[in-house]
Amino acid sequence: MSMNFKILGTQQTFEVDEPGYTGTFTLNDGGSCAGVVTYTPSSGPGPALTITVTAVSGGACTITATDSYGQTAPESITVN
């Protein structure tokens, strides 16, 4: 999955979806998104979680959602 921003301050959303999953998704960017985007929430319940991302400045980063079983779903983000 990926998203691309062309205008600073704009928002986009992406969804983490795991049918039947009732645990918590945890999001982590490893510090790569600092100064590039902000996002909320940083965690939330399954089976589906919508994350709102706001472009802050140019750059690229990856937000990874992890379930309680260690399965991951990365979202690559580019701000031009």
Side-chain angles (χ1 to χ4, degrees):
M1 299 187 297
S2 65
M3 62 175 49
N4 189 6
F5 290 89
K6 297 197 182 293
I7 301 171
L8 298 180
T10 58
Q11 294 183 328
Q12 294 183 38
T13 62
F14 70 93
E15 184 173 275
V16 179
D17 187 16
E18 187 175 342
Y21 179 68
T22 58
T24 299
F25 292 114
T26 303
L27 283 81
N28 189 349
D29 62 45
S32 69
C33 290
V36 178
V37 298
T38 59
Y39 59 93
T40 186
S42 59
S43 66
L49 179 65
T50 301
I51 296 90
T52 301
V53 181
T54 304
V56 176
S57 71
C61 66
T62 300
I63 299 170
T64 301
T66 306
D67 68 12
S68 60
Y69 304 108
Q71 296 174 324
T72 60
E75 179 76 23
S76 298
I77 301 166
T78 303
V79 181
N80 296 325

